[in-house]
Amino acid sequence: MAAESGRQFWKRSAKLPGSIQPVYGAQHPPLDSRLTKNFIKDRSKAGALPMKSKKASSFHEFARSTSDAWDIGDDEDEDFSSSSSSLQTLNSKVAKATAAQVLENHSKLRVKPERAQSTLGDMPTNCKVIKSSSEAQLSRTSEEACVRTPLQKQQSLPLRPVIPLVARISDQNASGAPPMTVREKTRLEKFRQLLSSHNTDLDELRKCSWPGVPREVRPVTWRLLSGYLPANSERRKLTLQRKREEYFGFIQQYYDSRNEEHHQDTYRQIHIDIPRTNPLIPLFQQPLVQEIFERILFIWAIRHPASGYVQGINDLVTPFFVVFLSEHVEEDVENFDVTNLSQDVLRSIEADSFWCMSKLLDGIQDNYTFAQPGIQKKVKALEELVSRIDEQVHNHFRKYEVEYLQFAFRWMNNLLMRELPLRCTIRLWDTYQSEPEGFSHFHLYVCAAFLIKWRKEILDEEDFQGLLMLLQNLPTIHWGNEEIGLLLAEAYRLKYMFADAPNHYRR
């Protein structure tokens, strides 16, 4: 009976609105826009189906001819442990293959000798080795990058420093600027004064956090901005102790129920999704980290029966986990072995990640209730906004029958986490937590600015398949604080123009 209900569940889930086959973006490149275009053209020439009519280029035809590596075996009726093992094996192969391809592309980048020397000086010379499926390939190439001789810049590529890891988490500027300038030191001191005051001025803290939060004070700032910690400094210690004990009380009360029949489907989906979470970052492939994520997601799903667990929520844990982990780790966290931390520290990180993620989801829960009405409304609003701010791009989508739901659904569901490196997501969330309704209302304008950022590349594509491949594989791997700052500035400009005048973007 359990197997039969599980089989029905998967068939039914496959038909939920917006559940298109994803093609992973910033975390699963091709990175070089020229390589992407060549790939699209070669694929369309070699593997395209014969077109009998215009309908042959529709989204349904594209979806049937495109397979998603993560979907292999998901719908098979097999033993749960066997399914988990096969997914981990598949994840290992995909991670290795993608990392190899990306790092091969990186090795072809050519930079000027003086810039190359300064960049190589910033690279880690002694990276901690973690026994994970993808780390072996990453660490070998990282060591080679450390001793690579200076090369020259290619003509058509922008000058960028070589990032030693495919998904580097450190919030290094893409321009290669020094990590701490005089201005940044002044800002850090301002944050410390605010946070150490008896009653922290949250309005002033939001104002300071909008352009980004320094790494050193980001954990406590995020706890305050999310509403997890009180502004009164004397109450914070007791509040943390009480909330952490409350979370582990939920673990004792609910976690054993994951094996009960009415919770098996939820737990199984969580267990399948967690290895997909940032598969190229060794930190998230450690068994202990994955167990923490399983507990966080399962407890949240049990406590929110209106939505339950929905694919995509697993991504929303990672920024909080990384930020709270960085409080206890001085080195780059992407390679850090969490078994080196004490049990008390790990419990604190887990509880804080749960509560901050819960605060975030409280503001966007209609994104994850039945039929996901929040996402449907936001995608429609994005379409109306783009039609006003860039009618040429909007008409280009209409000409080639590209629906906004086909690419923007993921942007809303995952808050652009699949389109941006994790370091950029963390910087983006500094601003989201400083904005009123940042994760819901302001995110719409960020998505509009993000789309228009690629208008030239969009207008260069002249077929349905090319447009979808571009929009689902945008080359943002080299982005850093600089690019996110420009994106947020444009989003704020759009909000200032349209938020208080909604008729401006309604036809």
Side-chain angles (χ1 to χ4, degrees), residues 266 297 300-310 313 365 368-369:
T266 297
L297 294 170
W300 187 89
I302 293 301
R303 297 188 71 245
H304 295 82
S307 62
Y309 174 75
V310 177
I313 295 179
Q365 193 168 357
Y368 305 105
T369 53

Side-chain angles (χ1 to χ4, degrees), residues 77 88 106 150 209 217 261 423 437 444 489:
D77 186 14
Q88 291 176 356
H106 278 293
S209 300
V217 294
E261 184 176 355
R423 62 182 176 275
E437 300 181 327
L444 168 66

Side-chain angles (χ1 to χ4, degrees), residues 30 77 90 115 240 264 469 480:
D77 186 14
L90 175 62
R115 291 299 299 272
L240 281 177
Q264 280 183 351
M469 290 295 291

Side-chain angles (χ1 to χ4, degrees), residues 53-245:
S53 66
K54 189 175 180 180
K55 292 297 181 181
S57 63
S58 69
F59 173 70
H60 298 291
E61 189 69 30
F62 171 70
R64 286 197 295 271
S65 63
T66 306
S67 60
D68 178 13
W70 301 121
D71 288 339
I72 297 176
D74 276 6
D75 294 332
E76 295 178 2
D77 186 14
E78 60 185 7
D79 181 73
F80 183 78
S81 60
S82 174
S83 173
S84 173
S85 175
S86 64
L87 280 165
Q88 291 176 356
T89 304
L90 175 62
N91 176 63
S92 172
K93 292 180 179 178
V94 172
K96 286 184 178 180
T98 311
Q101 177 191 355
V102 172
L103 292 165
E104 182 181 353
N105 292 340
H106 278 293
S107 68
K108 295 179 182 177
L109 290 176
R110 295 172 177 262
V111 295
K112 292 182 179 180
E114 62 270 21
R115 291 299 299 272
Q117 290 290 354
S118 63
T119 301
L120 291 172
D122 294 335
M123 290 182 182
T125 57
N126 184 18
C127 299
K128 185 182 288 294
V129 177
I130 306 297
K131 294 182 179 180
S132 70
S133 57
S134 58
E135 174 60 9
Q137 178 70 27
L138 290 173
S139 60
R140 284 199 300 272
T141 313
S142 177
E143 291 172 2
E144 293 172 5
C146 292
V147 298
R148 188 176 294 136
T149 56
L151 300 174
Q152 294 182 353
K153 171 186 164 188
Q154 278 184 339
Q155 291 183 353
S156 60
L157 290 175
L159 189 61
R160 287 284 186 258
V162 177
I163 298 176
L165 287 178
V166 177
R168 189 172 179 82
I169 298 176
S170 59
D171 50 358
Q172 164 194 350
N173 281 336
S175 62
M180 182 68 75
T181 63
V182 174
R183 179 176 177 273
E184 288 169 339
K185 288 180 180 178
T186 305
R187 291 189 69 243
L188 177 59
E189 184 60 31
K190 178 68 180 295
F191 270 95
R192 284 177 171 158
Q193 289 177 1
L194 276 171
L195 296 172
S196 61
S197 60
H198 180 69
N199 281 299
T200 300
D201 186 342
L202 293 181
D203 289 335
E204 185 65 23
L205 184 62
R206 290 188 185 97
K207 182 180 177 181
C208 292
S209 300
W210 207 101
V213 181
R215 183 181 188 270
E216 295 81 356
V217 294
R218 184 174 275 139
V220 64
T221 301
W222 276 27
R223 292 187 186 105
L224 284 164
L225 293 179
S226 66
Y228 175 44
L229 276 187
N232 188 303
S233 58
E234 294 180 354
R235 295 173 49 207
R236 291 175 193 168
K237 185 175 180 180
L238 289 176
T239 300
L240 281 177
Q241 181 180 350
R242 177 174 57 82
K243 298 298 283 185
R244 288 167 180 172
E245 289 176 355

